[in-house]
Amino acid sequence: MGRSRGEATQMCVECYADESRATPLLNPQDCLENHMQYICGTCGRCICIEHNPKRGLQRWNFPFKSLEIAKLYLRTADYSMKRPCGIYEMRSESGRLSYKIFADAEDLRLYLRRNRGKARVPVSRLHRRRVQGVCGHAGAEVDSR
């Protein structure tokens, strides 16, 4: 998926990435050698899908610094949950923004109830676009600006 300068990027229809080799982001060699990877069948991108048995979490369960990074892990959430998931912008009491992936509105509601210091940014500030899916489902909701 090499692109020349000035050429528009096109999102992968399966894993939602604009760049086929965008992950892993942290400790890439260790991640590729020692963690389970979801390999995109369309663009070949490797996405960490490692499950931490002690905490019962996967990489996509954690907050992300930016929407762009969260989008890189959205496909692993879809795959793990066996349904389209969504990215939500969160604002802490201190005003810090982060982005989290949730399987549905109920998961978001439970998270907000357990984490009273977090608040979802009003929906009017977010834009959703439907992404054409593969592997047996209609696609995922990607919240973006």
Side-chain angles (χ1 to χ4, degrees), residues 13-14 16 75 78 82-85 129-141:
V13 296
E14 181 177 348
Y16 323 123
R75 180 65 184 133
D78 292 348
K82 307 294 186 237
R83 62 180 176 207
C85 298
R129 61 184 165 151
R130 192 82 174 147
V131 177
Q132 181 59 43
V134 256
C135 301
H137 66 73
E141 295 286 332

Side-chain angles (χ1 to χ4, degrees), residues 39-58:
I39 302 173
C40 178
T42 302
C43 72
R45 184 169 72 97
C46 294
I47 313 165
C48 185
I49 197 166
E50 188 70 9
H51 182 264
N52 181 323
K54 286 184 181 180
R55 297 174 72 189
L57 300 173
Q58 291 177 276

